[in-house]
Amino acid sequence: MRKPAYYVTTPIYYVNDSPHIGHAYTSLACDVLARFMRLDGHDAFFLTGTDEHGQKVEKSAAAAARPPKEFVDEVSGRFRDLTELMNFSNDDFIRTTEARHIRSCQELWRRIAANQSPQGRDNIYLDTYGGWYSVRDEAFYADSELIKGADGGKLAPSGAPVEWVEEPSYFFRLGDWRQRLLDYYGAPGSGTVMPESRRNEVVSFVEGELFDLSISRTSFSWGIPVPDDEAHIMYVWLDALTNYITAAGFPDEESETYKTFWPADLHMVGKDILRFHAVYWPAFLMAAGLAPPKRVFAHGWWTNESEKISKSLGNVIEPADIVERYGLDQVRYFLLREVPFGNDGDFSHRAMVGRINSELANDFGNLAQRVLSMINKNCAAKMPQAAELSEADSALLDAAHGLAGRVRSEIAENHAFHEALNEIWAFVRMANGYVAGQEPWALKKTDPERMATVLNVAAEAIRHLAILAQPFMPESCAKMLDQLGVPDDARDFSCLGPDGALKPATKLPPPEPVFPRFVDDAAED
Ligand code: MSP
C-alpha cells in the first residue's frame, strides 16, 4: 500500500542575484527530504523555482540596462542550472512570470476580495499607504521597527535601507485574522511552525499589534496586475507565496495534483522570511477559503569563515566552485552535517576538509573499501555466505535493522538532518569496531567459514548504510551499492532488513574507493 503523498517546497529565488551557498542550502534540505520520502514509499513532490517580479528585480534589470523579461529569463536560468549542479530531484521549476502563475494569483486575489474577514468586514479595501519600504527586503516596516544606521539614518531591522513610500494601495485586513492564526499555530509543540523558538517568535508577533498589510503598488509596473484595477500591481510577496498553490494546480482544485498535494506538508525557509510564510501566507489562504500549509520550518544562515556572506564583502561562496573543489556529495554531506539544522553555521575550508577526511574517507569510505577488498581477494569476488551467527554478528545486524526507524524520525518528523547523519555515523563506527574486533584477515587461514560469515555480516551493514545515506549522497551511495551487487530495484527502504539481504555468490565488480581523502597544503595545519 502506498504511503501518504508528501509536498515539500523551497523558497523561490529572487532573480536579482546569482546563486550562492545559502540558496543551495535551503533546496538541499528539501531535496534530501524529498528523496528520503520517495525511498520510504511516499509519492513526494518537491518544488523550487524563481521569484521574478517586484521592485528589486525591476531595479536590477534597469541597472543591467536590460528589459525586465529578458533579464529574468537569463537569471532564472542560472537557478535552474543550480538544480542540475547540486543534483536536486525537484519535480517542477516554477517561474512567477508564467501564465499559469499569473492566472492563479489573480484568482487567489478575487477569492480573498470576495470573502469577509472573521469580523465580517471586506478582506481587501482601498486606501493610501504612507510608510517605510525596503526594496532589498521587499517589506513594509512600522516606524517602531526601524533601527538607527551608523550615520543616524533609519534602517530596516535587517540593516537594509528604507524609503518613504506614499501611494494608493489595497490593504489586506491582517489584524482581523489574529485569532484564526493563533488557532492555526496550536499549542506549543504542535509542529506547525518549527523549530519551537521560531514558533514563539511568530506567536508573539501575531499577539502584538498586527497592522493591515499593503498588498498592491502603483509606483512601478513590474508585477501581476490586480484584477479589475490595472493601475495596481500585486505586492510581490502575495505573488511569490502563491507559487506554492500554482504548482499544485490551483485554481483547478479538482485536479489530481491539487487534491493530492495541497495543503503542502512543509514549506522550508530561511529564518529571514519566516514572517511571510508563517503569518501572511496562512492568513491569505484562510481568507481565500483555502487550507494553510501543514508546517513551516525556518533554518539558520551561513557565514563564511565567520563573516556575513555578502557581495560587497566579496566573500560569496559559489556552489559551482566548492562542488568542483571538494566534490558534490562531499558538499551535500558537509552542509547538512556541520550545523544543527535550524541554527546558524559557519563555512570554513578547514571544517570541510576535516569532515571529508575523517568522516567520509576514514570512517565510511575505509569501512567499505576494506570489506569489499577482502571479499574481492579472499572470496573470489563473490558475496560470501554467512554460516551460524555469533552474538557480535547478531548485535550488528540488529542495529542495522533498527537504523531506518531512527533516521526516519530525525528526517521526516524533526527535520534534524544532522541528527540523522549522527545516527548513521554511530552505526558506521559500530561496523568499523565490529570488523576490527572480528579480524577477518586473521581468519582466512584459521577459519575460512567464519571469515565468510564476518564479511557477509559486514557487507550487510554497509548495504544498510549505503541505502539510508542515499538521500544525502546519491551518487556515492549508488557507487557503493553497485559494488555490493545490489540491483537497482532493491535500493529503497522496503528492501532494508533481512528480506532484502545480499545474495550469496553474487559476482561483485572490483572495488574502487568512493570517498577519497582531500589533500592540500591548507589542510596540513
Ligand atoms: N524570493 C524570496 C522567497 C520567496 S518564497 C515565496 C527570497 N529569495 S532569496 O533568493 O533572497 O532567498 C531564498 C532563500 O535563500 C531564503 O530561504 C533565504 O533564507 C536563503 N538564504 C539566502 N542567504 C542565505 C545564507 N547566507 N544562509 C542560508 N540561507 C540563506 O527570499
Side-chain angles (χ1 to χ4, degrees):
M1 199 184 66
R2 294 298 293 176
K3 296 184 180 170
Y6 193 84
Y7 182 21
V8 54
T9 70
T10 188
I12 48 171
Y13 300 102
Y14 283 129
V15 292
N16 66 314
D17 209 349
S18 286
H20 61 65
I21 190 182
H23 300 129
Y25 185 55
T26 316
S27 305
L28 172 62
C30 296
D31 182 58
V32 170
L33 189 47
R35 286 176 183 273
F36 186 92
M37 297 310 272
R38 289 185 200 114
L39 288 166
D40 209 19
H42 298 261
D43 182 7
F45 186 77
F46 162 29
L47 177 69
T48 185
T50 42
D51 182 358
E52 307 188 5
H53 290 127
Q55 216 171 349
K56 176 149 83 174
V57 173
E58 191 183 73
K59 283 193 171 177
S60 300
R66 306 270 297 278
K69 183 64 172 74
E70 196 183 294
F71 178 78
V72 299
D73 284 348
E74 187 204 312
V75 186
S76 175
R78 292 186 213 151
F79 283 92
R80 201 184 279 270
D81 293 346
L82 177 74
T83 64
E84 308 253 306
L85 174 83
M86 295 297 296
N87 196 8
F88 292 153
S89 62
N90 50 299
D91 298 280
D92 195 353
F93 186 97
I94 189 166
R95 299 185 53 190
T96 55
T97 47
E98 288 173 61
R100 61 171 169 160
H101 181 65
I102 294 167
R103 179 167 155 252
S104 160
C105 282
Q106 293 184 326
E107 179 57 23
L108 184 73
W109 180 290
R110 279 192 200 99
R111 295 204 192 176
I112 299 173
N115 291 344
Q116 297 211 312
S117 76
Q119 270 80 332
R121 302 191 282 185
D122 285 344
N123 277 318
I124 295 181
Y125 60 94
L126 184 62
D127 204 339
T128 300
Y129 181 78
W132 298 100
Y133 192 75
S134 157
V135 176
R136 200 165 90 193
D137 298 349
E138 294 282 26
F140 301 97
Y141 293 106
D143 207 47
S144 57
E145 288 182 285
L146 299 181
I147 57 170
K148 239 194 197 151
D151 61 357
K154 291 176 192 287
L155 292 178
S158 61
V162 288
E163 58 192 53
W164 183 260
V165 170
E166 225 171 280
E167 57 185 323
S169 172
Y170 285 99
F171 282 80
F172 172 67
R173 223 174 287 270
L174 183 62
D176 282 8
W177 290 90
R178 172 187 283 116
Q179 194 50 51
R180 291 284 301 277
L181 282 168
L182 294 171
D183 294 345
Y184 163 65
Y185 305 136
S190 65
T192 309
V193 179
M194 286 174 74
E196 202 59 14
S197 56
R198 300 284 172 209
R199 173 190 182 279
N200 296 341
E201 257 173 44
V202 167
V203 168
S204 56
F205 174 75
V206 170
E207 281 173 342
E209 204 176 354
L210 211 51
F211 295 104
D212 288 353
L213 189 69
S214 163
I215 52 165
S216 75
R217 306 288 307 270
T218 47
S219 52
F220 65 97
S221 60
W222 184 238
I224 298 181
V226 166
D228 308 318
D229 192 348
E230 300 248 323
H232 291 253
I233 55 163
M234 290 184 200
Y235 173 38
V236 66
W237 270 102
L238 171 53
D239 162 346
L241 290 159
T242 304
N243 89 88
Y244 301 133
I245 51 171
T246 305
F250 186 79
D252 184 0
E253 288 164 271
E254 291 311 310
S255 64
E256 227 17 73
T257 48
Y258 192 87
K259 286 195 295 192
T260 309
F261 294 112
W262 196 261
D265 293 274
L266 176 67
H267 291 322
M268 182 71 81
V269 301
K271 61 181 183 179
D272 54 318
I273 56 173
L274 178 61
R275 187 182 294 181
F276 301 98
H277 284 81
V279 181
Y280 303 164
W281 180 226
F284 293 149
L285 287 165
M286 291 192 281
L290 301 172
K294 292 184 198 157
R295 173 173 294 173
V296 178
F297 188 105
H299 65 68
W301 267 48
W302 282 90
T303 49
N304 182 5
E305 309 277 350
S306 308
E307 295 230 40
K308 183 174 188 280
I309 298 176
S310 91
K311 242 190 191 163
S312 50
L313 288 172
N315 65 352
V316 170
I317 301 168
E318 303 241 2
D321 291 346
I322 53 172
V323 165
E324 190 185 303
R325 184 160 190 205
Y326 304 110
L328 173 61
D329 281 348
Q330 283 78 356
V331 169
R332 289 176 59 111
Y333 173 78
F334 174 83
L335 290 176
L336 291 176
R337 176 64 189 81
E338 178 69 4
V339 181
F341 198 68
N343 295 5
D344 290 340
D346 186 46
F347 185 94
S348 80
H349 173 73
R350 201 189 161 108
M352 171 70 97
V353 173
R355 296 228 178 248
I356 291 177
N357 287 347
S358 68
E359 291 160 19
L360 294 179
N362 277 3
D363 294 346
F364 194 13
N366 277 353
L367 170 69
Q369 183 62 15
R370 237 166 144 195
V371 170
L372 286 163
S373 304
M374 275 187 279
I375 293 176
N376 190 264
K377 269 203 230 120
N378 304 330
C379 311
K382 287 193 186 134
M383 185 54 63
Q385 169 107 45
E388 204 182 325
L389 297 184
S390 73
E391 224 170 85
D393 303 340
S394 300
L396 188 72
L397 290 174
D398 287 349
H401 300 155
L403 189 55
R406 295 195 295 278
V407 172
R408 180 180 295 114
S409 79
E410 296 300 358
I411 293 185
E413 287 162 35
N414 306 333
H415 314 310
F417 300 96
H418 60 292
E419 292 293 1
L421 287 169
N422 266 341
E423 289 288 353
I424 296 174
W425 253 256
F427 184 65
V428 168
R429 289 192 195 103
M430 184 179 177
N432 270 322
Y434 168 85
V435 174
Q438 298 302 315
E439 301 185 319
W441 48 89
L443 294 168
K444 189 182 172 191
K445 290 221 170 75
T446 56
D447 190 349
E449 190 183 88
R450 178 68 198 144
M451 177 198 72
T453 302
V454 168
L455 292 176
N456 173 291
V457 168
E460 196 45 24
I462 298 167
R463 180 180 77 91
H464 278 78
L465 287 166
I467 288 182
L468 280 167
Q470 286 177 102
F472 294 93
M473 300 179 287
E475 283 177 1
S476 309
C477 291
K479 272 190 212 156
M480 227 179 243
L481 291 167
D482 290 345
Q483 298 191 25
L484 283 167
V486 178
D488 285 348
D489 62 1
R491 296 180 178 193
D492 66 39
F493 300 162
S494 69
C495 303
L496 291 167
D499 293 351
L502 294 161
K503 304 240 171 338
T506 306
K507 181 93 181 111
L508 303 186
E512 273 172 40
V514 173
F515 295 113
R517 283 182 69 77
F518 183 94
V519 185
D520 81 349
D521 298 342
E524 302 303 316
D525 56 8

